[in-house]
Amino acid sequence: MDERRRVAATALLLGAALAAAAAEPAKTPTLQQILDATQPADWRALDADNTLLMELPGGRVLIELAPAFAPAHVANIKVLVRAHYFDGLVITRVQDNYVTQWGDPAAEDEGAKAARSLGEAAATLPPEFTRGAKGLAFTPLPDGDVYAPQTGFAGGFPAARDARRHEAWLTHCYGMVGAARGNAPDSGNGSELYVVIGHAPRQLDRNIALVGRVVQGMEQLSALPRGSGPLGFYAEGEPRTPIARVRLLADLPPAERPALELLRTDTPAFAALVESRRKRRDDWYREPAGKIEVCNVPLPVRAAAPR
Amino acid sequence: MDERRRVAATALLLGAALAAAAAEPAKTPTLQQILDATQPADWRALDADNTLLMELPGGRVLIELAPAFAPAHVANIKVLVRAHYFDGLVITRVQDNYVTQWGDPAAEDEGAKAARSLGEAAATLPPEFTRGAKGLAFTPLPDGDVYAPQTGFAGGFPAARDARRHEAWLTHCYGMVGAARGNAPDSGNGSELYVVIGHAPRQLDRNIALVGRVVQGMEQLSALPRGSGPLGFYAEGEPRTPIARVRLLADLPPAERPALELLRTDTPAFAALVESRRKRRDDWYREPAGKIEVCNVPLPVRAAAPR
């Protein structure tokens, strides 16, 4: 189906969903109605070359990497993963309403003599806190933002843009994954990663490199016991969740790769989703917000259709 | 100390903190420096008549109620608590990046014949989703908001205001507690409560009654296993965290009341805290956000000074 026909068909199906909801006049279509009206081309498969699978005792976590925003970090993380760097390391930190972090606890200690070798991976990296806005396909949101001149989505990731500075960056929404760093801006290397488990700490934007996003298994990281040490690091004697292994999907036998699809963020279907959330009115919602903030937009994931 | 002298003294102490930080020119004072410079009058004690203590297996949760925003709900919750309604009930729902909810699981089922009696408490209440803005002391924030014309703080709670509609309401920030309701706006009665455990679901604002805020023990509610049923309700057979008891602090012997103080949100010290967070620059932060959103403002709590 060519692009114009596909868009028209989606519009028709969404129209039908709207008409169905219109029996009671002011209702918005549900998320499910919108997803039911999508076409196969509204979805994209997980990119096996840029998706990590992390195995924890409670289940697996899938992390989609963002090479368009942090190419050096993503490349370094792949070197580490392919050397099985993370296998047998642990969750080191869980700070309530902030982040869960993982890596080598020995690397935290001064001296770090016992720390695991980074092998072929770089120890320092250019600080990929922002990127040029030029050449970045960007789907803006309409309602403004407290922290950035403009927010929206780029390649499925929540992002922001500053036209005056010609910059774009990923935003610290719930589930976003970043590379921890020390005080030196180039000290992040991807060997220690964190994920946002609370209200978006947007003050971190442009101060640290975000490298991806959890697309499945977030509850494996968000529901862990909080650490009682400073900054939520686990104190001596507190049990740390072990990481069995981290693998790139592309390095797994095809049969072991989770087959998921993500709703594209540059489609009419996604625009309809945003609209239905902005103006949500149903049997329960009486007072639509009329607005939406970037970290409140759902990013649907589904099992891939059988081929 | 009279109010003018107190304010002047706070300003001096904050000035000293700023001067200390100024050894490296552009650093902002830390949260700790700001708290160290506060005066006793910058703090308020927990109001024993409007604070709940909830005992869970992992520890206690303290919830400060907000009678200025939801007087009927707060009064009804007190009736329920004083009848020991919640003792022996359970956490019924934990939906990742959304809410943890508790109450009587039998009340969820259709018919609800086995549900615990509400006793003297009302089964329906006026929908206290907003209140009049008139007469409400409000400390506004300077950076705008996606969802509301104005946000800020009222009596220690994050809140919003709409001058055109002459309305004010509490905002759904992390840790805020609300009264679950069915489709009927008057169907919330405080017998089923929820707390926000993810990114602020601000679309709920003005659609449901917020009744308070967790001031201590949030990790007892945020780190629980997520429910696998629809909307994060626990499915049949999933273990539910039991509630040992819920009490109003005023009903406990004085020696058993946790002695905590909260930083007042209408003080120069709080204004200094907001400013230091907006313009945060230290050994780690290189690019201050320059802005702050209502749900990112910390609300400090400390052990009360011995009397």
Side-chain angles (χ1 to χ4, degrees):
Chain A
M1 201 185 293
D2 74 25
E3 180 64 13
R4 259 179 320 171
R5 285 185 58 201
R6 193 178 70 73
V7 171
T10 303
L12 271 175
L13 286 160
L14 290 171
L18 281 160
E24 286 184 351
K27 283 191 197 173
T28 43
T30 65
L31 183 54
Q32 194 54 54
Q33 285 172 325
I34 287 169
L35 297 184
D36 290 347
T38 56
Q39 298 296 302
D42 291 323
W43 298 83
R44 61 192 174 90
L46 272 183
D47 176 2
D49 285 319
N50 285 297
T51 303
L52 302 180
L53 179 148
M54 174 160 66
E55 289 179 357
L56 297 177
R60 73 186 185 198
V61 181
L62 288 175
I63 299 170
E64 185 181 31
L65 298 170
F69 284 87
H73 282 77
V74 167
N76 215 47
I77 289 168
K78 287 190 199 178
V79 171
L80 290 165
V81 165
R82 286 185 154 143
H84 299 183
Y85 173 82
F86 291 100
D87 300 12
L89 292 182
V90 294
I91 308 290
T92 52
R93 174 189 189 189
V94 187
Q95 184 172 358
D96 196 59
N97 191 19
Y98 197 46
V99 297
T100 290
Q101 191 165 317
W102 59 96
D104 183 355
E108 283 294 318
D109 303 331
E110 218 162 324
K113 283 180 196 156
R116 191 173 283 202
S117 163
L118 297 179
E120 304 291 311
T124 61
L125 289 177
E128 297 171 312
F129 306 163
T130 64
R131 55 155 281 167
K134 204 177 162 184
L136 180 71
F138 191 93
T139 305
L141 286 171
D143 300 313
D145 184 71
V146 170
Y147 290 97
Q150 188 178 53
T151 54
F153 293 87
F157 291 93
R161 216 163 50 163
D162 185 336
R164 193 178 53 77
R165 293 165 61 145
H166 311 289
E167 284 180 344
W169 58 92
L170 296 174
T171 51
H172 274 82
C173 295
Y174 193 93
M176 291 296 287
V177 174
R181 68 166 175 89
N183 286 343
D186 67 353
S187 59
N189 57 39
S191 66
E192 204 172 337
L193 298 170
Y194 66 92
V195 61
V196 173
I197 61 163
H199 187 70
R202 297 285 307 281
Q203 71 279 3
L204 293 175
D205 290 1
R206 302 184 295 133
N207 277 288
I208 192 164
L210 285 169
V211 300
R213 183 174 82 81
V214 172
V215 295
Q216 195 180 64
M218 185 60 198
E219 69 283 2
Q220 301 299 332
L221 296 166
S222 60
L224 296 172
R226 278 46 182 157
S228 70
L231 303 175
F233 279 93
Y234 285 120
E236 195 67 35
E238 285 184 303
R240 291 159 164 159
T241 303
I243 299 168
R245 61 173 190 160
V246 178
R247 292 291 179 276
L248 199 65
L249 284 201
D251 294 342
L252 293 174
E256 290 180 27
R257 298 178 196 165
L260 295 180
E261 293 180 336
L262 301 100
L263 188 67
R264 294 175 61 103
T265 52
D266 57 354
T267 58
F270 186 73
L273 179 159
V274 169
E275 275 311 287
S276 78
R277 286 288 161 142
R278 291 178 73 233
K279 299 177 179 163
R280 192 164 175 179
R281 190 190 287 274
D282 56 25
D283 288 335
W284 195 89
Y285 278 91
R286 304 302 174 109
E287 189 77 53
K291 312 268 179 136
I292 199 160
E293 190 249 305
V294 64
C295 296
N296 271 326
V297 177
L299 295 170
V301 176
R302 70 175 185 186
R307 284 161 203 280
Chain B
M1 202 186 297
D2 74 25
E3 180 62 15
R4 257 179 321 170
R5 282 187 58 202
R6 195 179 68 73
V7 170
T10 303
L12 270 176
L13 286 159
L14 290 170
L18 279 160
E24 286 185 351
K27 284 190 196 171
T28 42
T30 64
L31 183 54
Q32 194 55 54
Q33 285 172 324
I34 287 168
L35 297 183
D36 289 347
T38 56
Q39 298 295 301
D42 292 322
W43 298 82
R44 60 191 174 90
L46 272 183
D47 176 2
D49 285 320
N50 284 297
T51 303
L52 303 179
L53 179 148
M54 174 160 66
E55 289 179 357
L56 297 176
R60 73 187 184 197
V61 181
L62 289 175
I63 299 170
E64 185 181 32
L65 299 170
F69 284 88
H73 283 76
V74 167
N76 215 46
I77 289 168
K78 287 190 199 178
V79 171
L80 290 165
V81 165
R82 287 185 154 143
H84 299 182
Y85 173 82
F86 290 100
D87 299 12
L89 292 182
V90 294
I91 308 290
T92 52
R93 174 190 189 189
V94 187
Q95 184 173 358
D96 197 59
N97 193 18
Y98 198 45
V99 297
T100 290
Q101 192 165 316
W102 59 96
D104 183 355
E108 283 295 318
D109 303 332
E110 219 162 325
K113 284 180 199 157
R116 191 172 286 201
S117 163
L118 297 179
E120 303 292 311
T124 60
L125 290 177
E128 297 171 313
F129 306 163
T130 63
R131 55 154 280 168
K134 204 176 161 186
L136 181 71
F138 192 93
T139 305
L141 286 170
D143 300 313
D145 183 72
V146 170
Y147 291 97
Q150 188 178 54
T151 53
F153 293 86
F157 291 94
R161 214 163 53 162
D162 185 337
R164 194 178 52 77
R165 293 164 62 145
H166 310 290
E167 283 180 345
W169 58 93
L170 295 174
T171 51
H172 274 84
C173 296
Y174 193 92
M176 292 295 286
V177 175
R181 68 165 174 90
N183 286 343
D186 68 352
S187 58
N189 56 38
S191 66
E192 204 173 335
L193 298 170
Y194 66 91
V195 61
V196 173
I197 62 162
H199 187 70
R202 296 286 305 282
Q203 71 279 5
L204 293 174
D205 290 1
R206 302 184 295 133
N207 277 287
I208 192 164
L210 285 169
V211 300
R213 184 173 81 81
V214 172
V215 295
Q216 194 180 65
M218 185 60 198
E219 68 282 2
Q220 302 299 332
L221 296 166
S222 60
L224 296 172
R226 278 46 182 157
S228 70
L231 303 177
F233 279 93
Y234 286 120
E236 195 69 33
E238 287 185 302
R240 291 159 165 162
T241 303
I243 298 167
R245 61 172 190 160
V246 178
R247 292 291 179 276
L248 198 66
L249 285 201
D251 295 341
L252 292 174
E256 290 181 27
R257 298 178 197 165
L260 296 179
E261 292 180 337
L262 301 100
L263 189 66
R264 293 174 61 102
T265 52
D266 56 354
T267 58
F270 186 73
L273 179 158
V274 169
E275 275 311 287
S276 78
R277 286 288 161 142
R278 291 178 73 232
K279 300 177 178 163
R280 191 166 176 178
R281 189 190 287 275
D282 55 26
D283 289 335
W284 195 90
Y285 278 91
R286 304 301 175 110
E287 189 79 52
K291 312 268 179 135
I292 200 161
E293 189 249 304
V294 64
C295 296
N296 271 326
V297 177
L299 295 171
V301 176
R302 70 176 186 186
R307 283 160 203 281

